Amino acid sequence: MKPIYILNGPNLNLLGLREPNVYGQETITDLEARCLAKAKALGQQIDFRQTNTEGELIDWVHEAQSKACGIIINGAAYTHTSVALHDALKAVNIPTVEVHLSNVYAREPFRHHSYISPVAHGVICGFGGQSYELALDGIARILKSTGKA
Ligand code: CA2
C-alpha cells in the first residue's frame, strides 16, 4: 500500500517551542504521532515530513506522484507566496488536501490568499492538530470512493 504523504513547510519545526498562543503546545513530533494513530485507525500508511526549503517541498510533491496515494500539505508561509508549489501540485494527479493549524481567514489579510487552494480537492483550517486528522478522514474517503484505498 502506498502512503499518504503529509508535507509540512517552513518553521513548522518550531511548533510547541514558540508562539504557543497561536499554534498551541503540540510539537511537530506530537503532530506526527497524532497522524500515525489516525492513519492506523483508517487502515492507511503515512509518510510525515517537514522542510524549511521550498525546492525540497516541490521535490517531495513530484516524488508523491509515483510513491504516494495522496498528499496532505501544510505549505505554511509558502501557501501564500509560491507559484512554484501551485504548479507542482497542479502537475500531480493524486488527491491533495490543504491543511492549516490556524484559521488563516481570521488572521492578517496576507494569509487570506492561497496558491494551494485552487489545485487542492479541499481545504481544512482552524482546528489545530485536529485539522490533520480531518484531512486524513477526507483523503481516505476520496481513496475509498475511487477504489484506490
Ligand atoms: O496555520 C497554519 O498551519 C499556517 O500554515 C502556519 C504558517 C503560517 O505562515 C500560515 O499562514 C498558516 C506558519 C508556520 C510557522 O509555525 C510556527 C510555529 C511556532 C512558532 C513559530 C512559527
Side-chain angles (χ1 to χ4, degrees):
M1 176 196 283
K2 288 181 181 176
I4 298 165
Y5 275 15
I6 304 183
L7 305 180
N8 295 282
N11 298 308
L12 285 164
N13 55 309
L14 298 178
L15 276 179
L17 309 174
R18 308 258 199 293
E19 297 189 53
N21 51 319
V22 182
Y23 297 112
Q25 309 270 355
E26 204 169 42
T27 66
I28 190 93
T29 309
D30 296 334
L31 187 56
E32 179 175 14
R34 182 199 273 263
C35 289
L36 280 166
K38 180 68 182 180
K40 194 173 174 192
L42 289 167
Q44 298 287 337
Q45 308 273 354
I46 61 163
D47 189 331
F48 186 101
R49 304 177 185 186
Q50 188 275 330
T51 180
N52 291 325
T53 308
E54 186 176 11
E56 188 165 35
L57 201 53
I58 288 160
D59 286 342
W60 289 345
V61 170
H62 295 172
E63 182 187 306
Q65 175 63 45
S66 59
K67 296 202 173 148
C69 63
I71 300 171
I72 293 171
I73 184 161
N74 184 347
Y78 293 141
T79 304
H80 316 298
T81 62
S82 181
V83 176
L85 191 53
H86 170 102
D87 289 345
L89 289 165
K90 195 173 181 180
V92 298
N93 63 359
I94 53 175
T96 298
V97 176
E98 175 183 356
V99 293
H100 299 284
L101 297 156
S102 63
N103 177 357
V104 286
Y105 300 101
R107 301 183 65 193
E108 304 95 320
F110 67 83
R111 296 185 203 276
H112 298 180
H113 177 265
S114 166
Y115 281 101
I116 297 176
S117 300
V119 288
H121 280 75
V123 183
I124 296 169
C125 73
F127 294 92
Q130 198 195 1
S131 290
Y132 287 67
E133 294 182 84
L134 295 168
L136 277 164
D137 274 330
I139 219 158
R141 204 185 62 166
I142 295 168
L143 292 171
K144 279 209 177 83
S145 70
T146 54
K148 290 179 183 155

